[in-house]
């Protein structure tokens, strides 16, 4: 695998303490972070460390189940359910080495919850945590609305989790332990470089389980170019790491930056984390019928459903191109050996 170039920089840390009294200050900090790195850390956000750790324990209880049990709630086209080694990134052409379980608030979860007897309290605990994450997200939405000149509740109404059209997701993630005693296989990726399609992502990480890296520099929400200068984002207890998604980048007429990021494949036994890695990503996604268009109308107005479909189409096109490149490299290598 090619070596990575790193930049020694840090992402902004933003406190939501005393939000109502400090909203102008917080808005200025968020807008600056959105316009530059596209990533920022939240502290004093209102979700306690014990609450986060309890949700991580709940997540582990799910992933510790046998695969045949988890397979009874398989991933669906409605973006809910369990999948394993299934997500392939255009940047790599290979599946991420992880499993995930995606949960939503409404009817998209019909048939995707395990029976209460399998993990008692799992559904209630998860939904309670999701509501807490939504409350944090709505504070960010007010600030972003102000920064773009919209009414305070503009984005909140577009992400109304009480409606059946809601698409917001909490994804529980489990990256598999990597055996540090043998070379990492070629093409093994914990999570290949990618951008998120959503409005803004709230990522919960466990201290000591490192691997997240970011690469700022993307200029338009419709582009796929990745730079070559990465920055490590170390997890801190209780901190929420947030990133701008393609949706908000488009909704801001590309003023805010949706940044490439990845979970590094561990290579260095002295520095990298090889153990099992757990994280939780809360993806704020608009209702399917929400109208998406920036204040400057750089892009045509589309619905939340149409935006997601267009993002998926670009992803599949990029993936097809990557696979063609890999096949070309393979064919060239085989031809060289035959010669």
């Amino acid at each position: 695998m090619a070596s990575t170039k790193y930049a020694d920089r840090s992402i902004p840390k933003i406190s939501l303490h005393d939000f109502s009294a400090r909203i102008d200050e917080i808005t200025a900090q968020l807008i600056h972070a959105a316009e530059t790195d596209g990533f920022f850390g939240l502290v004093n956000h209102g979700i306690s460390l014990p609450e986060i750790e309890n949700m991580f324990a709940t997540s582990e209880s799910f992933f510790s189940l046998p695969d045949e049990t988890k397979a009874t709630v398989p991933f669906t086209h409605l973006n809910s359910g369990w999948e394993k080694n299934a997500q392939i990134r255009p940047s790599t052409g290979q599946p991420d080495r992880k499993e995930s379980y995606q949960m939503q608030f409404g009817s998209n979860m019909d048939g995707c919850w395990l029976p209460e007897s399998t993990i008692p309290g799992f559904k209630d605990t998860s939904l309670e945590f999701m509501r807490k994450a939504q409350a944090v997200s709505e504070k960010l939405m007010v600030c972003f609305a102000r920064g773009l000149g919209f009414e305070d509740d503009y984005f909140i109404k577009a992400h109304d989790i009480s409606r059946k059209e809601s698409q917001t997701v909490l994804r529980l993630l489990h990256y598999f332990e990597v055996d540090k005693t043998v070379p990492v296989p070629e093409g093994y990726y914990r999570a290949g470089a990618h951008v998120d399609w959503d409005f803004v992502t709230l990522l919960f990480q466990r201290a000591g389980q490192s691997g997240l890296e970011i690469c700022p520099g993307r200029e338009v929400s419709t582009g796929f170019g990745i730079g070559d200068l990465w920055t490590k984002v170390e997890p801190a207890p209780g901190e929420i790491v947030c990133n701008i998604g393609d949706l908000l980048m488009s909704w801001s007429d590309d003023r805010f930056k949706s940044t490439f990021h990845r979970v590094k494949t561990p290579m260095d036994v002295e520095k990298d984390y090889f153990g099992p890695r757990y994280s939780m990503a809360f993806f704020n996604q608009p209702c399917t019928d929400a109208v998406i268009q920036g204040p400057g109308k750089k892009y045509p107005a589309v619905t939340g459903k149409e935006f997601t479909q267009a993002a998926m189409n670009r992803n599949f096109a990029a993936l097809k191109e990557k696979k063609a490149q890999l096949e070309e490299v393979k064919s060239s290598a085989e031809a060289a050996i035959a010669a």
Side-chain angles (χ1 to χ4, degrees):
M1 296 181 184
S3 60
T4 296
K5 299 177 183 177
Y6 286 99
D8 185 15
R9 60 191 171 202
S10 59
I11 66 171
K13 299 289 191 293
I14 300 173
S15 171
L16 298 187
H17 173 68
D18 201 10
F19 180 80
S20 296
R22 296 179 52 245
I23 188 168
D24 290 341
E25 174 190 352
I26 293 169
T27 296
Q29 293 173 352
L30 284 171
I31 297 306
H32 176 72
E35 290 176 335
T36 53
D37 296 301
F39 265 78
F40 51 91
L42 291 182
V43 296
N44 302 318
H45 43 68
I47 307 178
S48 70
L49 181 58
E51 289 172 326
I52 295 171
E53 285 300 321
N54 181 58
M55 190 61 217
F56 270 120
T58 302
S59 173
E60 284 194 60
S61 70
F62 175 86
F63 290 123
S64 66
L65 295 170
D67 281 3
E68 53 265 31
T69 301
K70 291 177 284 191
T72 62
V73 286
F75 189 77
T76 74
H77 71 283
L78 297 175
N79 210 24
S80 301
W82 175 73
E83 62 180 0
K84 180 179 181 180
N85 293 332
Q87 190 165 24
I88 301 176
R89 309 290 187 183
S91 61
T92 65
Q94 304 288 340
D96 291 349
R97 298 301 179 176
K98 69 179 192 302
E99 59 179 330
S100 67
Y101 178 61
Q102 300 200 170
M103 299 173 286
Q104 297 189 43
F105 288 96
S107 59
N108 284 351
M109 283 298 291
D110 290 349
C112 289
W113 292 110
L114 288 170
E116 174 70 12
S117 58
T118 303
I119 310 179
F122 179 87
K123 178 179 178 180
D124 289 344
T125 298
S126 299
L127 287 172
E128 180 182 3
F129 185 82
M130 290 164 67
R131 285 189 286 268
K132 291 179 181 295
Q134 177 69 17
V136 175
S137 299
E138 290 183 0
K139 291 179 180 179
L140 304 184
M141 290 177 189
V142 172
C143 295
F144 288 134
R146 290 189 175 195
L148 293 172
F150 295 123
E151 294 295 322
D152 281 2
D153 63 352
Y154 179 80
F155 290 130
I156 293 175
K157 289 191 294 186
H159 295 79
D160 186 349
I161 59 172
S162 70
R163 300 184 63 219
K164 63 181 179 63
E165 291 83 5
S166 170
Q167 301 183 98
T168 291
V169 166
L170 176 65
R171 177 187 290 173
L172 307 181
L173 292 149
H174 171 216
Y175 299 88
F176 307 119
E177 183 172 8
V178 179
D179 186 351
K180 64 174 63 176
T181 66
V182 298
V184 178
E186 185 69 27
Y188 187 105
Y189 296 92
R190 275 196 150 172
H194 63 283
V195 291
D196 293 343
W197 300 341
D198 64 337
F199 184 84
V200 63
T201 302
L202 276 59
L203 179 68
F204 299 82
Q205 303 184 93
R206 271 185 156 167
Q209 298 184 2
S210 60
L212 177 64
E213 299 179 342
I214 68 172
C215 185
R218 191 157 169 257
E219 291 303 317
V220 294
S221 60
T222 54
F224 266 95
I226 308 174
D228 62 356
L229 200 59
W230 292 83
T231 295
K232 298 178 180 180
V233 181
E234 295 295 333
E239 180 178 300
I240 305 175
V241 175
C242 303
N243 64 278
I244 305 302
D246 276 11
L247 185 83
L248 181 50
M249 188 170 182
S250 176
W251 222 332
S252 70
D253 298 318
D254 292 328
R255 177 180 164 191
F256 301 158
K257 305 305 179 186
S258 174
T259 299
F260 273 91
H261 50 286
R262 66 187 183 187
V263 178
K264 181 186 180 185
T265 298
M267 305 289 289
D268 189 329
V269 296
E270 300 296 327
K271 298 179 180 179
D272 295 338
Y273 175 70
F274 284 73
R277 182 178 187 274
Y278 294 89
S279 64
M280 303 181 293
F282 188 74
F283 297 105
N284 290 276
Q285 300 187 153
C287 295
T288 54
D289 57 355
V291 178
I292 317 300
Q293 189 173 44
K297 297 181 172 52
K298 179 177 181 178
Y299 299 108
V302 294
T303 64
K305 182 178 181 179
E306 290 169 339
F307 185 93
T308 300
Q309 187 61 55
M312 291 174 64
N313 291 344
R314 288 195 300 272
N315 188 75
F316 291 142
L319 180 58
K320 183 177 180 180
E321 181 179 352
K322 181 65 176 182
K323 287 183 175 179
Q325 292 172 353
L326 292 175
E327 283 298 322
E328 184 176 349
V329 171
K330 181 181 178 182
S331 298
S332 298
E334 290 174 346
I337 292 173

